[in-house]
Amino acid sequence: MIGAVGAVSLQGVGIATVVVGATGLFIGLFLGFAAKKFEVEIDEREVKVRELLPGANCGGCGYPGCDGLANAIAEGKAPVNACPVANSDAHKAIAEVMGTVAEETEKTVAYVKCSGTCDKTEVKYEYYGVMDCKKAALVPGKGNKKCSYGCMGFGSCVKVCAFDAIHIVNGIAVVDKEKCSGCSKCTAECPNKLIDMVPVKAKHLVACGSNDKGKDVKAACSAGCIGCKLCVKACEFDAIHVENNLALIDYSKCTNCGKCAAVCPVKVIQVEK
Ligand code: SF4
Ligand code: SF4
């Protein structure tokens, strides 16, 4: 009796082993077939380009992160130097992967065109709204400072900077050139269009964005451009002009001689070291 039971269970184990083995074999064959059928071709160049990108995922290139840009470069949809954060060595290496040559690009950094610190301009009312420049710009008068062109200092630009390169100092946004990667994300964020990308080698910068006439500028801020054109007359290189009551520097002509800054009566031309 016991021997019959033992034989039956041995038979059961044998059947179970065959079933499990067959099922495993079937699943293995199916997975192998599926893997072959749905195999995604990996472009080796895309992998190499991705490795050369900085991984900042800042979106400054206009693509959703470094993966997106690597894919676009590999497919020839984006230039090899499209990443504003990568340096020229990285651009050259990416160009090599793509079998081309990278065009030289001039490194630019963000610059906030405003000198309206708390001691230079005053607030015209207390603002109790959301601490965001875009929201504050919707309030009549564009923010609470006397100058409606100037930096409101609520830091919309600060919030989008992935590199901790912009801070609010004494009521206005200030860029740390060392930390700025040149991604330019902050430029789109400022409702007053106060942030320009300027060549990193630019040493003279007009720290004002007001298009008001001189008299109104003076009434709002002691450090605003009054459009007097003394800088224009002092420049021997035709590098500075006044347009819409505001001095603008052409960096392709500027030699950093400093004559404009020396004559500016309101000292609105900042001299970078
Ligand atoms: S620069 Fe523009 S976005 Fe930045 S704090 Fe000033 S107003 Fe706001
Ligand atoms: S000298 Fe100064 S205040 Fe006069 S236009 Fe030039 S930057 Fe503006």
Side-chain angles (χ1 to χ4, degrees):
M1 189 62 184
I2 291 168
V5 172
V8 169
S9 53
L10 267 180
Q11 198 182 7
V13 170
I15 291 170
T17 307
V18 170
V19 170
V20 170
T23 309
L25 185 67
F26 173 75
I27 291 172
L29 286 171
F30 175 76
L31 287 177
F33 170 76
K36 203 81 198 134
K37 175 94 180 154
F38 301 110
E39 188 179 357
V40 179
E41 290 249 332
I42 293 175
D43 185 339
E44 290 295 320
R45 296 179 312 172
E46 183 178 330
V47 177
K48 285 184 186 159
V49 169
R50 176 64 189 85
E51 280 166 6
L52 291 163
L53 291 172
N57 290 313
C58 64
C61 55
Y63 288 89
C66 301
D67 288 352
L69 179 60
N71 178 269
I73 292 175
E75 288 187 355
K77 291 178 184 162
V80 290
N81 58 6
C83 173
V85 180
N87 59 24
S88 59
D89 285 347
H91 289 159
K92 277 182 201 149
I94 292 169
E96 225 167 85
V97 170
M98 295 302 296
T100 178
V101 180
E103 263 177 45
E104 282 292 333
T105 47
E106 189 173 30
K107 168 89 179 146
T108 58
V109 287
Y111 176 70
V112 182
K113 299 174 290 182
C114 184
S115 316
T117 47
C118 299
D119 47 316
K120 307 265 171 57
T121 185
E122 291 164 36
V123 291
K124 53 189 173 210
Y125 56 79
E126 286 303 323
Y127 174 75
Y128 295 107
V130 184
M131 291 303 188
D132 180 272
C133 307
K134 282 180 169 173
K135 301 263 171 23
L138 300 174
V139 176
K142 269 191 153 192
N144 62 345
K145 287 193 178 158
K146 271 196 175 172
C147 175
S148 56
Y149 291 90
C151 177
M152 288 173 260
F154 296 125
S156 293
C157 50
V158 176
K159 286 173 213 149
V160 295
C161 180
F163 304 93
D164 188 37
I166 313 184
H167 299 103
I168 303 299
V169 182
N170 201 6
I172 61 167
V174 176
V175 176
D176 180 339
K177 265 170 86 169
E178 300 300 319
K179 286 186 177 175
C180 177
S181 69
C183 75
S184 80
K185 260 199 133 175
C186 55
T187 58
E189 230 30 49
C190 179
N192 279 354
K193 300 285 166 239
L194 278 177
I195 310 180
D196 277 351
M197 298 308 293
V198 300
V200 72
K201 62 178 183 350
K203 297 280 180 257
H204 293 85
L205 303 134
V206 180
C208 183
S210 175
N211 294 123
D212 269 347
K213 293 212 169 102
K215 183 171 63 73
D216 299 326
V217 171
K218 272 189 164 174
C221 176
S222 65
C225 174
I226 52 174
C228 66
K229 297 187 182 172
L230 286 178
C231 52
V232 178
K233 285 172 203 141
C235 182
E236 292 165 23
F237 306 96
D238 190 38
I240 186 160
H241 294 100
V242 170
E243 284 170 28
N244 284 331
N245 306 312
L246 179 64
L248 302 168
I249 294 177
D250 179 344
Y251 298 109
S252 66
K253 291 180 177 174
C254 177
T255 62
N256 284 316
C257 73
K259 287 189 177 161
C260 58
V263 297
C264 177
V266 284
K267 300 293 168 219
V268 73
I269 304 178
Q270 284 185 353
V271 186
E272 299 270 315
K273 287 178 193 100

